[in-house]
Amino acid sequence: METRRLQYLYELSRMGSMRAVADILGATTSTVSQQIAQLSRDVGVTLIESEGRGVRLTPAGLRLAEHARSILAAVDSARLSLDSEAEPAGTVRVAGFATAIRRSLMPIIEDLAVHHPRVDIVVLEHEPAEALNQLAVDGIDLALTYDYNLSPEQVAPGVETLALWSNEWGLGVPSALATPFTSHPLAADAATVFAAFAQHDWIGNSRNIADEKVLRLISSMSGFEPTMRHQSDSLDLVEDLILANLGVGLLPRDRPPRQGLTILQLANPNLELRAYARTRQGRSTWPALALVLQRLRGE
């Protein structure tokens, strides 16, 4: 079996259509069809069957696709670690959200420039879903992603995960409206805090639905549907919108203080953002990437 043909089958099991496979692998649908047909002849079993205008994997095709995931990862691992003792060198492509890039990656880039100048880092700012899509099609080597404890991220098989750090989030509101909560020593229940702002406009993220999921979850506990009026993936802009009395929104509790803005603590449940480093299975032994992951672990 040629690994390239296994790649076509594996991507079909993930994407569900030959057109989608062709798009992510830079091929034509005819090429995808021909390669899977040849793979079927190679193994002597039917791997796909017609379903309406499309195709679906047969039970045998599904089993081989699962094997293909492990086989492709093993091939990657073997190729990338042939000389595991060599001085790390090469370009590591990293996609991630801005906070993780600033907090976790930038110090590493500065360190590598001094101690490992043969390792080059390419930085792309992406929200988690965008970064994971790029990771799946081998567009990047490392994805820095996040989720919330109240909205866990679903990651596809074949991805290795390193937990990085977490921080507490709260509800950002104009300080003039925060007094009923800041005058008490104990944090109010999240549902109680949200209920106090039920009639306000709300600010979500423009490129990641996790924030909105959390907002809607806690709002449902308070018995209302939030009016999602604004969207921004910039925390600075979220703060500006709040200060302009255009809405309320989620913010990290450790943000530098700004006059007129209060970030209310949430309890029962609390809200935490959790950051991760994710790589394709079998890739973490590549010396250049292994070095970056080592630094991310604080080693």
Side-chain angles (χ1 to χ4, degrees):
M1 292 180 287
E2 292 188 10
T3 55
R4 182 63 173 173
R5 291 173 184 155
L6 287 174
Q7 182 77 45
Y8 284 116
L9 182 71
Y10 172 64
E11 297 300 346
L12 181 60
S13 72
R14 284 198 325 113
M15 307 301 295
S17 77
M18 291 192 179
R19 166 51 60 191
V21 175
D23 288 343
I24 67 169
L25 294 183
T28 65
T29 53
S30 176
T31 298
V32 176
S33 177
Q34 292 170 7
Q35 291 299 307
I36 293 178
Q38 182 59 54
L39 179 61
S40 183
R41 289 191 288 271
D42 291 342
V43 298
V45 296
T46 300
L47 299 175
I48 60 174
E49 58 190 7
S50 298
E51 182 181 41
R53 294 185 176 182
V55 297
R56 65 181 178 187
L57 271 64
T58 64
L62 290 169
R63 290 196 299 274
L64 183 57
E66 181 60 27
H67 285 300
R69 178 173 67 85
S70 300
I71 291 169
L72 293 168
V75 170
D76 273 342
S77 180
R79 177 174 60 84
L80 295 171
S81 62
L82 285 175
D83 189 6
S84 59
E85 300 303 317
E87 172 68 17
T91 299
V92 180
R93 304 161 297 171
V94 184
F97 64 107
T99 301
I101 291 172
R102 293 192 187 101
R103 174 172 175 172
S104 299
L105 189 63
M106 291 306 298
I108 293 173
I109 293 175
E110 295 170 2
D111 173 73
L112 296 184
V114 175
H115 298 101
H116 296 277
R118 295 179 63 196
V119 176
D120 185 34
I121 307 291
V122 172
V123 178
L124 306 168
E125 184 188 350
H126 283 305
E127 287 295 305
E130 300 166 339
L132 289 173
N133 285 339
Q134 286 296 305
L135 189 69
V137 300
D138 202 23
I140 59 171
D141 304 297
L142 173 64
L144 301 177
T145 72
Y146 71 87
D147 67 6
Y148 293 105
N149 60 322
L150 301 182
S151 180
E153 184 179 47
Q154 300 299 316
V155 180
V159 174
E160 297 177 359
T161 296
L162 169 67
L164 296 179
W165 45 265
S166 64
N167 62 354
E168 183 183 6
W169 277 51
L171 184 64
V173 303
S175 296
L177 304 178
T179 305
F181 300 101
T182 56
S183 59
H184 296 285
L186 298 178
D189 289 350
T192 302
V193 174
F194 271 48
F197 298 92
Q199 302 305 313
H200 287 67
D201 291 334
W202 292 73
I203 307 165
N205 191 304
S206 61
R207 292 156 56 201
N208 185 22
I209 63 173
D211 297 64
E212 185 170 334
K213 283 183 177 180
V214 169
L215 287 174
R216 293 189 181 281
L217 173 63
I218 301 178
S219 297
S220 68
M221 297 166 57
S222 305
F224 73 96
E225 182 75 14
T227 301
M228 304 300 302
R229 182 61 60 84
H230 310 287
Q231 293 183 330
S232 172
D233 63 350
S234 164
L235 297 179
D236 289 335
L237 180 54
V238 172
E239 291 186 349
D240 290 342
L241 292 170
I242 294 170
L243 288 170
N245 290 307
L246 293 177
V248 297
L250 298 175
L251 286 169
R253 291 263 296 154
D254 59 2
R255 291 282 289 178
R258 290 183 67 178
Q259 186 174 0
L261 174 70
T262 299
I263 304 174
L264 297 175
Q265 186 176 2
L266 304 174
N268 302 317
N270 69 320
L271 179 61
E272 287 188 357
L273 178 144
R274 306 175 299 189
Y276 307 96
R278 304 194 191 272
T279 58
R280 285 167 65 106
Q281 185 176 358
R283 293 295 182 92
S284 59
T285 55
W286 175 38
L289 180 56
L291 177 62
V292 174
L293 292 172
Q294 182 184 53
R295 293 294 191 270
L296 286 171
R297 286 192 293 266
E299 299 174 1

